[in-house]
């Protein structure tokens, strides 16, 4: 069974006290899958402390929002005076009384840390890999803040402290982060998506220090659980790559046909064009095109994440040989083959498709281009509307 190394930002835990993207069933799924050989949840002490500091404020905000919502007790004039209208008014009174009782009951349980969600978060923390206070990591976090390096906003130290602890303790390989506030995500990412691109600085730092490991960012727990389930479903052994893909393509430059020859030098220009056309038909060039086509088919038929990564590695060598038809096939592979689309946010896959999109996005069919843009989250989410003036 695959091991996933996971970090959940404090804001995700605090959101459980409001109106979160994740419901109780998602928390239960997380608890079922936390374990030494499954999901390893890394929990720096800073997360626990920040959670405890902000829990009551979050609860107060949620109660205030719930309390301020009003039942529609006004009845249009033409509906008044009927038995049904009287029943409605009575139901409103009962609902208001029940609402008051609900708030009181939840407040009492919250004061004793005895809410159902309190118990689940306590269980999550107890099953996590905990890391105590670390003066050396805290000092590095302060230096990181002074240099203005991410994660975190402004001169804050908390997120940077967590990051230094993760760099110190999480083993080499990939790290999956759930965070909603954008501290780890690229400013160009669309946070409305379930998975987003990490900040390049953080991704490169993680890759350098963790043996080419990748950084995966999610905006809710249900997305990371869904990804873990897909990992579990993957075949244990990758499919062997075709023999034809083992050898890198020869470095044969694509000749660019010259512009139409001027009348005076028409014969000379025609000779250059003929030589270019002859080179395009050379056995060496045709062999490269065949290898490229086989690599595209290999990606289209990929049956696992492992083979997708191998196919992307091979295909990355053929930039300069792709045409619009190839780009169309490759874009469709990402949309139609789940073994490609599910890991579109992985660094190597994402970088390949960004480069492909930069070259061919305006050349393929508009509907296909739109689907790829949505899949990759290439359009950042619009800013929230300004608050209404009172």
């Amino acid at each position: 069974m695959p091991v996933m190394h996971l970090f959940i930002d404090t804001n995700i835990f605090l959101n459980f006290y409001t109106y979160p993207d994740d419901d109780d069933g998602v928390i239960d799924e997380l608890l079922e899958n936390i374990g030494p050989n499954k999901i390893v949840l890394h929990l720096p002490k800073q997360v626990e402390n920040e959670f405890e500091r902000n829990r009551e404020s979050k609860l107060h905000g949620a109660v205030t929002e719930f309390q301020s919502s009003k039942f529609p007790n006004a009845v249009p004039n033409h509906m008044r005076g009927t038995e049904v209208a009287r029943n409605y008014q009575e139901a409103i009174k009962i609902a208001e009384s029940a609402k008051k009782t609900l708030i009181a009951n939840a407040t009492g349980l919250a004061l004793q840390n005895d809410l159902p969600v309190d118990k689940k978060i306590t269980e999550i923390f107890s099953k996590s890999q905990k890391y105590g206070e670390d003066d050396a990591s805290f000092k590095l976090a302060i230096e990181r803040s002074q240099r203005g390096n991410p994660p975190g906003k402004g001169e804050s130290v908390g997120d940077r402290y967590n990051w230094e602890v993760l760099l110190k303790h999480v083993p080499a390989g990939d790290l999956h982060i759930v965070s909603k506030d954008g501290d780890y995500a690229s400013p160009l990412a669309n946070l409305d998506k379930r998975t987003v691109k990490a900040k390049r600085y953080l991704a490169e730092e993680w890759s350098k220090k963790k043996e080419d490991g990748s950084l995966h960012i999610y905006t809710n727990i249900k997305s990371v659980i869904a990804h873990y389930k897909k990992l579990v479903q993957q075949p244990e052994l990758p499919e062997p790559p075709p023999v034809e893909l083992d050898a890198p393509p020869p470095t044969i430059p694509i000749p660019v046909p010259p512009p139409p020859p001027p009348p005076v030098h028409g014969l000379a220009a025609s000779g250059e064009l003929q030589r270019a056309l002859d080179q395009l038909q050379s056995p060496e060039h045709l062999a490269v095109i065949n290898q490229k086509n086989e690599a595209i088919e290999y990606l289209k038929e990929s049956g696992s994440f492992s083979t997708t990564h191998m196919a992307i590695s091979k295909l990355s060598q053929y930039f300069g040989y792709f045409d619009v038809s190839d780009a169309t096939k490759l874009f469709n592979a990402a949309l139609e083959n789940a073994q490609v689309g599910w890991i579109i946010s992985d660094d190597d896959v994402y970088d390949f498709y960004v480069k492909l999109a930069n070259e061919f996005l305006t050349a393929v069919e508009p509907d296909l281009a739109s689907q790829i843009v949505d899949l990759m989250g290439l359009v950042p989410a619009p800013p929230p509307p300004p608050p209404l003036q009172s």
Side-chain angles (χ1 to χ4, degrees):
M1 184 171 291
V3 175
M4 170 185 280
H5 292 280
L6 176 64
F7 169 71
I8 299 177
D9 203 1
T10 315
N11 59 76
I12 298 296
F13 290 121
L14 290 172
N15 282 345
F16 283 130
Y17 293 101
T18 56
Y19 301 91
D21 296 334
D22 298 308
D23 55 28
D24 287 350
V26 173
I27 304 179
D28 293 336
E29 281 194 278
L30 176 63
L31 285 168
E32 290 172 7
N33 286 287
I34 294 178
N37 297 313
K38 297 188 286 184
I39 295 177
V40 179
L41 179 59
H42 298 271
L43 184 66
K45 187 64 177 177
Q46 169 67 16
V47 171
E48 292 186 86
N49 291 341
E50 188 177 7
F51 173 81
E52 291 298 334
R53 287 196 302 268
N54 292 284
R55 172 183 169 274
E56 290 183 342
S57 296
K58 201 72 172 179
L59 281 163
H60 179 264
V63 170
T64 300
E65 182 179 355
F66 180 62
Q67 199 169 23
S68 64
S69 61
K70 302 296 183 182
F71 291 107
N73 52 15
V75 176
N77 190 60
H78 75 281
M79 297 182 184
R80 297 174 187 172
T82 65
E83 182 67 22
V84 176
R86 286 189 288 272
N87 291 341
Y88 176 79
Q89 295 287 358
E90 187 63 29
I92 291 292
K93 292 178 182 178
I94 293 172
E96 288 175 343
S97 176
K99 180 180 179 180
K100 184 176 180 180
T101 303
L102 173 60
I103 292 173
N105 175 250
T107 301
L109 292 173
L111 289 170
Q112 296 181 317
N113 274 62
D114 203 27
L115 290 164
V117 69
D118 286 328
K119 297 175 182 178
K120 291 186 178 183
I121 291 177
T122 298
E123 187 177 357
I124 290 174
F125 284 5
S126 68
K127 297 181 74 172
S128 300
Q129 176 65 56
K130 295 187 177 184
Y131 305 108
E133 297 286 9
D134 187 326
D135 291 341
S137 295
F138 188 72
K139 182 179 178 181
L140 290 172
I142 294 174
E143 293 175 359
R144 179 180 285 269
S145 175
Q146 291 172 341
R147 293 188 174 99
N149 292 334
K153 302 176 182 70
E155 298 180 358
S156 66
V157 176
D159 288 309
R160 294 173 169 101
Y161 186 18
N162 286 331
W163 179 252
E164 291 293 346
V165 171
L166 294 171
L167 284 173
K168 181 175 182 178
H169 292 286
V170 177
D174 293 358
L175 174 64
H176 302 258
I177 294 178
V178 185
S179 180
K180 187 70 173 177
D181 60 10
D183 287 325
Y184 298 90
S186 166
L188 298 177
N190 187 337
L191 289 177
D192 289 338
K193 298 291 183 180
R194 292 173 298 176
T195 60
V196 297
K197 281 298 292 179
K199 286 182 177 175
R200 180 168 290 275
Y201 184 94
L202 296 176
E204 290 180 352
E205 182 179 18
W206 188 265
S207 177
K208 186 183 300 182
K209 295 183 177 181
K210 298 297 179 178
E211 300 178 11
D212 295 326
S214 295
L215 206 56
H216 306 266
I217 311 297
Y218 308 81
T219 56
N220 52 55
I221 293 175
K222 72 174 75 170
S223 297
V224 78
I225 293 294
H227 186 75
Y228 179 71
K229 289 180 177 178
K230 293 166 188 171
L231 289 176
V232 171
Q233 295 169 4
Q234 293 296 300
E236 294 185 7
L237 295 176
E239 302 165 18
V243 176
E244 293 82 353
L245 294 179
D246 286 343
T251 54
I252 303 174
I254 292 288
V256 180
V264 177
H265 303 291
L267 291 178
S270 297
E272 291 294 328
L273 178 59
Q274 187 59 51
R275 282 193 291 274
L277 293 174
D278 289 343
Q279 188 171 0
L280 285 173
Q281 297 301 318
S282 68
E284 295 84 358
H285 180 76
L286 293 176
V288 173
I289 298 303
N290 287 336
Q291 291 177 21
K292 176 203 69 175
N293 292 338
E294 289 173 2
I296 292 173
E297 291 301 314
Y298 186 50
L299 180 69
K300 289 171 59 180
E301 300 299 323
S302 174
S304 70
F305 295 163
S306 297
T307 52
T308 294
H309 286 297
M310 285 190 285
I312 290 294
S313 176
K314 293 299 180 183
L315 283 164
S316 297
Q317 303 174 69
Y318 292 97
F319 276 104
Y321 293 88
F322 294 134
D323 56 25
V324 176
S325 175
D326 297 329
T328 298
K329 294 176 183 177
L330 291 166
F331 287 147
N332 280 321
L335 294 168
E336 297 171 1
N337 186 343
Q339 303 301 327
V340 182
W342 280 347
I343 57 172
I344 194 71
S345 62
D346 284 16
D347 288 345
D348 57 335
V349 183
Y350 192 86
D351 290 345
F352 173 83
Y353 273 99
V354 166
K355 190 172 181 180
L356 192 70
N358 287 342
E359 188 170 349
F360 292 105
L361 196 61
T362 59
V364 299
E365 290 294 324
D367 183 60
L368 177 60
S370 177
Q371 292 181 68
I372 284 295
V373 166
D374 290 341
L375 178 67
M376 300 179 67
L378 288 175
V379 177
L388 296 175
Q389 299 296 324
S390 56

